Amino acid sequence: MEKSKVYYTSFRTTFQENLPQKLKRLIKTAGMLEQIDFQNKYAAIKIHFGELGNLSFLRPNYAKVVVDLVKDQGGKPFLTDCNTLYVGSRKNALDHLETAYENGFSPFSTGCHVLIADGLKGTDELLVPIDGEYIKEAKIGRAVMDADIFISLNHFKGHESTGFGGALKNIGMGCGSRAGKMEMHNSGKPHVIESLCIGCRACYKNCAHSAITFEERIAYINHNRCVGCGRCIGVCPVDAVESDFDEANDILNYKIAEYTQAVLKDRPHFHISLVMDVSPYCDCHAENDIPIIPDVGMFASFDPVALDVACADAANKQPVMAGSILEKHGSHHHDHFKDTHPDTNWKSSVEHAVKIGLGNSEYELITI
């Protein structure tokens, strides 16, 4: 198979070219405007608006670059995401829109409207048959599937379940309706290590399914109610919650790849990833920790798989940031994301994506 082209530029600027201008040049050089006909077409630009309190999400200025390029070509762009499975500031369309606006993603700052793809309560979905190994019928937010063209604008960062969050995570998990997210998460159920639990109730406050109870200040998880979203794992301050199954995170990655296939098939698509503010956790958290590595640069490709691999390879060449979680954990696997979250395996998502024909793990990096 011929290597996929991934285009890259650093965050270095000059007096003649700032970062938005450099991103514009990257996108144009990568061929998005030449290879996709935007005239009178609806273009979904999938982005993460960031949980309230999180400050590592992409600035809306970057979204405006993509929006303006699409509009210049006669297209009709909109920014979009789907509601979350967990309790937070983006669990329904009203809260989600308020969060997006508060974080700067308004029509006035970005030049286009924001549509929450799966509707008011996360139930406005389209069933997309794919007959995959793990998913037979993906549940995707309707507005995403109604678009003629799909563009992903990704903040590349660490993730407690998938190793990192890049293009595949932003597309597959991000475009799933609430029921779709539940389907992707339900392969493994977490449990509480009683000797570590301090009874802080952070897990209880963040469980959207009333699956957590307390006995003598120790948390217990009812697996009949638990959907396996892993939110309790992420919010526990003492790592007292862990997954029951070693294979759960791999299966989650496989399902994300198949959901990504459902989103992208049979229509033009393009992908942009910014490797900056590489926080150890997802932007779904209501906080962001010290980045685990320095900022790397901006990447773009028609192949989301090659894009993720190129970003991971570039990130793994970076030094560890002093004072970060990664420095605390130490280097054992020669992989910054595996070292940050030892129970994850980001390569499983890539391998399955290649297996199902979603993209290519071999890439040619073109620096501009």
Side-chain angles (χ1 to χ4, degrees), residues 82-94:
C82 286
N83 292 307
T84 60
L85 185 61
Y86 57 83
V87 175
S89 65
R90 297 178 302 120
K91 64 181 178 180
N92 61 69
L94 298 183

Side-chain angles (χ1 to χ4, degrees), residues 21-156:
Q21 291 168 335
K22 205 171 187 185
L23 176 59
K24 179 179 179 179
R25 181 161 63 91
L26 174 73
I27 295 169
K28 293 175 72 173
T29 304
M32 185 185 84
L33 306 185
E34 293 178 358
Q35 298 188 38
I36 299 178
D37 177 15
F38 287 97
Q39 188 66 40
N40 295 321
K41 304 288 180 58
Y42 293 104
I45 302 173
K46 171 61 179 74
I47 193 169
H48 195 304
F49 298 116
E51 195 74 11
L52 279 183
N54 186 295
L55 296 176
S56 66
F57 59 88
L58 295 182
R59 293 177 179 87
N61 309 66
Y62 294 112
K64 189 176 190 306
V65 172
V66 184
V67 168
D68 286 347
L69 285 172
V70 172
K71 290 169 70 174
D72 288 345
Q73 299 297 306
K76 300 177 179 179
F78 61 95
L79 298 177
T80 192
D81 198 0
C82 286
N83 292 307
T84 60
L85 185 61
Y86 57 83
V87 175
S89 65
R90 297 178 302 120
K91 64 181 178 180
N92 61 69
L94 298 183
D95 292 346
H96 205 155
L97 283 170
E98 287 185 6
T99 297
Y101 294 157
E102 188 166 336
N103 284 342
F105 294 93
S106 74
F108 307 104
S109 60
T110 64
C112 75
H113 290 287
V114 174
L115 296 179
I116 305 306
D118 59 344
L120 180 62
K121 298 180 179 179
T123 57
D124 188 12
E125 62 192 18
L126 195 66
L127 303 181
V128 183
I130 57 171
D131 196 27
E133 185 175 345
Y134 297 89
I135 303 297
K136 302 303 178 184
E137 198 173 52
K139 304 170 181 68
I140 308 297
R142 184 174 297 274
V144 165
M145 296 310 300
D146 280 347
D148 304 300
I149 298 162
F150 183 88
I151 301 170
S152 67
L153 179 56
N154 320 295
H155 173 220
F156 193 89

